[in-house]
Amino acid sequence: MLEAFTAHELLSNIPVQIESICTYEDRLLVGTKQGTLLVYKFENDKIDLFLTLKGFSKKTINQISVTSVFSPYQLVSLSEGTLNIHTIQQSGSIQPLQCEGLAKARGSTLFTLHQSTAADEQPSAQLAVACKRKIILYRWLKKGPPQEVKEINLYDVPKAMVFHGQGYSDKIYIGFKGKYCQLHVSTEQVKDMLCTGRQLEATMLWVDKETVAICKDEWSILLAEDGKPYQDEFKSNIKWCDCPSALLYCKPYIVAVINKGIEVKTIQLVEPIQVIELPKVKLVARDKRMFVASATHLWELKLKDLILQVDKLITLKQFELAETLNKMTHEQGGDHEQANRQRTVINTQAAYHEFINKRYEKSMTRFQKTNVEVANVIGLFPELLSKKMQDKQVYPADILEARKYLTTKDIETGLEALEKYLVAKRFDLNKYEEEVENSKQTKIIIDTTLLKCYLQNKPKMVASLLRLKDNECHIVESERALKRARRMNDIIILYKSKGQHEKALTVLKQYANMQNTQKHELGGPEHTIKYLQDLGPEDIHLIKEYSKLAFTHLIKEYSKWVIEKHPDRCLDIFTDPSTVHTLPKEQVVQHLKSMNPDIALQYLERLIDIWNVSSQEIENSLIILLVEKVSSEWPTYQGMLAAGVLEPCLPGSEPGQLGALRLRLTHFLERLQNYSPSLVIRSLGYEIPLYEELAILYGRQRECDKALMLYCHVLKNRTKAEEFCDKYYEIDNQIYYKLLRMYQCPMSLEALRLDKFKLAEPLPDMGAAIDILVKHYKHIDVKEALRLLPEDTKLQDVEEFMCAILRDRTKESRKNLLLKSLNLSDNLKVKSQKMFYQKDKLIVTGMDSCAVCNKRVGECAIAFYPDRRIVHYGCMSRETLPDVSSSTP
């Protein structure tokens, strides 16, 4: 059993009978049956009689207490129904204090004093006096006597009272004969609580700011602020050896006066702490020191050394109380170094103790406060550490015995608590990583163990752990655990987090190519596609199998089987929003082209049409690939023409893929802006007659003559030629003149390198030239056009052209004459208005005065009225002048 206190006898066989005691600072006041007040002064372990006040009261001093809120302190005493208040001077003398409000308290039987200890409240003290079947409340708010606050009627005579609260208290617990009640001062409501039991006398104690202890038979019941008993493992009801007659609280102990003497317990433990046998003890008092008294004897209760108590409590496995006393050692300024060592021992021993008793949540909470190695804590549970590491762990014998009898349910519950412990340790390790030795190894152990815990209890959390950027799961141990649990999807996440992409993609390929893959979680190509989509250049530093080109290599290597077996889905790898802008597009094009040119073509079209990628390299690749596709289809079309199976078709209307390919080619040639026309022309090689495509390319190179030659004399498509001129007119305003010239003086086929195609030699087309003159004469220099016409050109051939020119010139001349007349009319109108406004004048001299302020005008701005009165421009805003109200300036 623990020895918390020692009793030192201070006074024995004194000639007077002690009836009441109280203490404050270094003084002890003793009230006697004879009415004498004894004041003792103590210093260290010595006590001396400082003052004897004979005749302090004519009768027995039943109750005394000191209020120390205001200086000088005041002594409240109750003597046979009379309540008195005395002032305690600094010299130690005690003088009576007149208080008119105490007249009502005659016949009082009991009082209780409550002093405000809240730092954020105004200093005050409350006094409740029981006077027959009523309570009179007083309050100190300043120096001097207390002021009466309220008088509350009750249904019985109070036998015990105690305030409940830390600051100003609105609740009073009252013990009547056989019953406890709670009184709300503000509402005057009385609420019945409990009966007193066999012992009809009431005994109560205010323990702390939230707790009151009331006695029922051998029990002290702890009540919360709402008056209900605590349902708390840290605050339990106390059973005494006997019915207590008085209670005293000395943190963390409650001291009870019983028939044998003094019994000590705590609100945290049910087990007995200490019993000190003292004869006929009936009174207790505490301030800085604690005293107990009988009628003729006085003892001081001294708290034993806290460090020794903690050592004893650790031996007794009373860890909660040991922890409380350890905190008190710090608060009281004890040996901090020793206290810190004890705290570590408390938490370590308590953690193992809780584990043995299968309270795993508490055990892990305790371990969190210790410096026990993480591996040692993990090793408490089976199959979490590797065999080599498990063999290194050392445990007490009782722990080894407890591990043998862990059930499946115990392990499940324990792992849940271990998860929380590991998560907290992980957080601390990340926060103080630089200060922790072997932090990297510790983190590997934590993350790997967390993975194993989640596999058993929370499988859905496995993926979340593995996706953490800073996860340090041991690759071999984690892989073994995941394979044992058949968590193949999580194995892929593990490989990816560790940068072992080749392993991951190999596994995905293996399962995708298995029979009945759709039934497996990794079946089908979508997992490989998604994996490759998620890879980005930022993953390069994770890839350990390759150099810096590993990223592109992985994409190319492991997309092959998808391209071969699932060509309809393979483009998702390269055109996903997460990868389309990060992949090296030229390398992707070459890769796809080597595998399947059609897919490469689709990829390029998606880049341009969907993702608006418009670099020269991409556009060149697309057009050249289309040219190559057209070239590969052309021999088939040429063979059909030679065999007479098919008549020549307009460009884009050829049968099969050729027509569609040419339409796509011309579409992109006209739409795209960044490709190189010369490069495309070289790729054409003049091997196949793609005249329309050549015309577009020559136009892009600003070789308009060649383009017009193709449209006019090879394709013989005047409409296309005119559309071409419309398109390029803003760039070249001589384009229509060039078209006219091309019809009159065509180029040779050798100039276009088309002589190999056996085309008819182009001839001048005078009719087409005249039509161009008639339709587009506004865009052609007439003089230059007439010079182009042959000398034998008949006037009737150009009659329509000449008439159109004359009509246009006449219309323009008439328009100019009309504008000239309108401008002349506007000019005359303005001159007339000017003459009208200048016909009137006003001569102002320096002697003229303002009609409003009567000051001289000087050089200020002025205005004048029709009646020729002058005013300053600034004076116009003042009140209207007499006789000028109808005038307007």
Side-chain angles (χ1 to χ4, degrees), residues 792-848:
D792 58 349
T793 303
K794 296 179 179 179
L795 186 59
Q796 62 184 16
D797 293 338
V798 293
E799 179 184 1
E800 186 176 356
F801 163 67
M802 298 302 293
C803 290
I805 290 292
L806 291 172
R807 281 197 303 272
D808 191 58
R809 295 291 186 271
T810 304
K811 182 178 179 181
E812 188 69 23
S813 177
R814 289 176 179 175
K815 179 181 176 182
N816 291 335
L817 288 173
L818 179 61
L819 288 174
K820 180 180 178 182
S821 300
L822 290 173
N823 289 334
L824 180 61
S825 175
D826 289 342
N827 189 23
L828 292 173
K829 184 177 180 181
V830 169
K831 286 182 178 180
S832 175
Q833 288 178 340
K834 179 181 177 183
M835 293 172 62
F836 173 78
Y837 289 121
Q838 288 181 343
K839 69 180 180 179
D840 196 11
K841 65 179 178 178
L842 177 70
I843 299 174
V844 181
T845 66
M847 301 302 294
D848 291 323

Side-chain angles (χ1 to χ4, degrees), residues 5 204-213 222 234-235 238 240 246-257 263-268 284-292 301 303 321 324-325 328 331:
F5 294 94
M204 292 186 295
L205 171 68
W206 177 44
V207 178
D208 56 33
K209 61 181 180 180
E210 297 177 349
T211 309
V212 168
L222 302 178
F234 297 108
K235 290 187 178 181
I238 303 169
W240 306 99
L247 297 174
L248 188 68
Y249 182 62
C250 178
K251 184 181 178 181
Y253 300 111
I254 294 182
V255 178
V257 176
E263 184 174 4
V264 180
K265 283 203 170 185
T266 175
I267 60 177
Q268 294 174 313
V284 287
R286 178 181 179 271
D287 187 48
K288 293 182 178 179
R289 305 172 80 162
M290 185 163 56
F291 302 93
V292 295
L301 288 182
L303 192 64
L321 183 55
T324 302
L325 294 181
M328 289 175 61
E331 292 169 359

Side-chain angles (χ1 to χ4, degrees), residues 367-370 374 420-436 439 442-443 446:
F367 275 125
Q368 182 64 32
K369 301 175 184 177
T370 69
V374 174
K420 297 177 183 177
Y421 163 79
L422 292 174
V423 170
K425 276 291 184 183
R426 193 180 194 278
F427 177 80
D428 293 342
L429 197 61
N430 287 336
K431 191 174 182 181
Y432 307 105
E433 188 168 0
E434 296 179 358
E435 304 173 15
V436 180
S439 59
T442 304
K443 200 170 180 182
I446 288 174

Side-chain angles (χ1 to χ4, degrees), residues 757-784:
F757 295 120
K758 300 179 181 180
L759 296 172
E761 193 65 30
L763 299 173
D765 188 347
M766 198 62 191
I770 297 299
D771 288 343
I772 295 299
L773 278 174
V774 173
K775 289 178 65 176
H776 302 288
Y777 66 89
K778 292 182 180 180
H779 304 122
I780 299 174
D781 187 333
V782 177
K783 291 181 181 181
E784 294 296 327

Side-chain angles (χ1 to χ4, degrees), residues 648-673:
C649 302
L650 292 174
S653 62
E654 295 88 349
Q657 290 190 8
L658 180 60
L661 286 169
R662 290 196 70 182
L663 286 175
R664 288 160 68 187
L665 177 58
T666 54
H667 166 74
F668 285 114
L669 285 173
E670 290 178 344
R671 172 187 161 197
L672 301 182
Q673 303 297 324

Side-chain angles (χ1 to χ4, degrees), residues 356-407:
I356 292 170
N357 289 280
K358 301 185 177 183
R359 293 190 288 265
Y360 303 111
E361 190 84 26
K362 291 183 178 180
S363 175
M364 294 301 118
T365 302
R366 288 283 189 182
F367 275 125
Q368 182 64 32
K369 301 175 184 177
T370 69
N371 55 3
V372 176
E373 288 187 4
V374 174
N376 192 267
V377 178
I378 296 170
L380 293 170
F381 300 93
E383 299 181 1
L384 293 180
L385 293 177
S386 64
K387 188 177 185 305
K388 183 179 178 180
M389 188 173 289
Q390 184 71 57
D391 293 340
K392 293 180 181 179
Q393 308 308 315
V394 180
Y395 300 102
D398 50 354
I399 290 291
L400 295 174
E401 188 67 21
R403 289 179 75 245
K404 296 178 182 179
Y405 299 101
L406 289 174
T407 65

Side-chain angles (χ1 to χ4, degrees), residues 426-690:
R426 193 180 194 278
F427 177 80
D428 293 342
L429 197 61
N430 287 336
K431 191 174 182 181
Y432 307 105
E433 188 168 0
E434 296 179 358
E435 304 173 15
V436 180
E437 189 177 355
N438 296 325
S439 59
K440 177 78 171 179
Q441 184 63 29
T442 304
K443 200 170 180 182
I444 290 173
I445 295 171
I446 288 174
D447 286 356
T448 307
T449 306
L450 262 178
L451 175 69
K452 294 178 180 179
C453 291
Y454 288 153
L455 281 173
Q456 293 193 47
N457 280 1
K458 299 176 181 175
K460 292 182 179 179
M461 293 293 293
V462 172
S464 299
L465 173 64
L466 293 174
R467 286 193 179 101
L468 290 176
K469 290 184 179 180
D470 61 342
N471 96 78
E472 296 289 349
C473 292
H474 190 273
I475 182 70
V476 177
E477 283 287 320
S478 302
E479 184 179 23
R480 187 181 297 121
L482 290 167
K483 284 183 177 179
R484 192 184 305 123
R486 298 183 179 180
R487 304 282 299 184
M488 299 309 299
N489 205 17
D490 294 327
I491 287 180
I492 300 301
I493 300 173
L494 172 68
Y495 288 150
K496 184 176 182 181
S497 68
K498 298 301 178 182
Q500 298 194 2
H501 302 294
E502 187 174 25
K503 274 190 174 183
L505 290 165
T506 302
V507 171
L508 288 172
K509 181 179 178 181
Q510 174 188 346
Y511 278 93
N513 293 329
M514 287 173 58
Q515 293 182 353
N516 300 321
T517 54
Q518 297 302 325
K519 296 180 181 178
H520 195 274
E521 61 178 345
L522 297 180
E526 57 272 5
H527 298 284
T528 299
I529 292 172
K530 183 67 170 65
Y531 194 99
L532 292 172
Q533 285 175 345
D534 292 340
L535 277 180
E538 67 275 6
D539 294 307
I540 290 176
H541 71 282
L542 297 174
I543 302 172
K544 300 177 178 59
E545 299 93 335
Y546 299 100
S547 64
K548 201 167 184 180
L549 297 175
F551 165 61
T552 307
H553 174 82
L554 280 177
I555 296 281
K556 292 166 67 174
E557 183 66 26
Y558 288 94
S559 64
K560 286 181 179 178
W561 73 269
V562 182
I563 296 172
E564 292 171 354
K565 296 190 175 182
H566 304 277
D568 56 325
R569 301 188 61 181
C570 66
L571 276 183
D572 293 342
I573 298 172
F574 309 99
T575 57
D576 184 76
S578 61
T579 58
V580 69
H581 294 296
T582 56
L583 287 172
K585 300 172 184 61
E586 293 78 13
Q587 296 183 38
V588 172
V589 171
Q590 293 302 320
H591 170 57
L592 293 176
K593 190 175 177 181
S594 65
M595 295 292 297
N596 189 331
D598 290 333
I599 295 176
L601 196 56
Q602 293 176 40
Y603 170 71
L604 290 166
E605 288 181 356
R606 287 195 190 184
L607 286 181
I608 293 170
D609 291 336
I610 299 176
W611 299 107
N612 298 320
V613 177
S614 58
S615 68
Q616 187 178 57
E617 292 78 5
I618 294 300
E619 293 185 6
N620 285 341
S621 298
L622 172 62
I623 293 174
I624 291 173
L625 193 56
L626 280 170
V627 168
E628 291 174 357
K629 290 287 291 180
V630 169
S631 299
S632 65
E633 294 289 333
W634 187 264
T636 304
Y637 172 68
Q638 192 69 34
M640 295 172 69
L641 290 177
V645 178
L646 190 69
E647 293 292 329
C649 302
L650 292 174
S653 62
E654 295 88 349
Q657 290 190 8
L658 180 60
L661 286 169
R662 290 196 70 182
L663 286 175
R664 288 160 68 187
L665 177 58
T666 54
H667 166 74
F668 285 114
L669 285 173
E670 290 178 344
R671 172 187 161 197
L672 301 182
Q673 303 297 324
N674 299 312
Y675 64 87
S676 171
S678 60
L679 180 65
V680 179
I681 290 173
R682 286 197 299 272
S683 70
L684 285 173
Y686 301 97
E687 297 297 328
I688 55 176
L690 300 180

Side-chain angles (χ1 to χ4, degrees), residues 193-244:
M193 304 297 294
L194 299 169
C195 62
T196 59
R198 298 189 307 273
Q199 182 182 354
L200 298 179
E201 294 299 323
T203 303
M204 292 186 295
L205 171 68
W206 177 44
V207 178
D208 56 33
K209 61 181 180 180
E210 297 177 349
T211 309
V212 168
I214 61 176
C215 293
K216 179 180 179 181
D217 296 333
E218 296 88 1
W219 289 89
S220 284
I221 300 170
L222 302 178
L223 302 180
E225 194 172 2
D226 58 0
K228 296 180 180 179
Y230 272 101
Q231 303 292 329
D232 192 335
E233 59 179 326
F234 297 108
K235 290 187 178 181
S236 55
N237 296 331
I238 303 169
K239 186 176 182 181
W240 306 99
C241 299
D242 198 357
C243 297

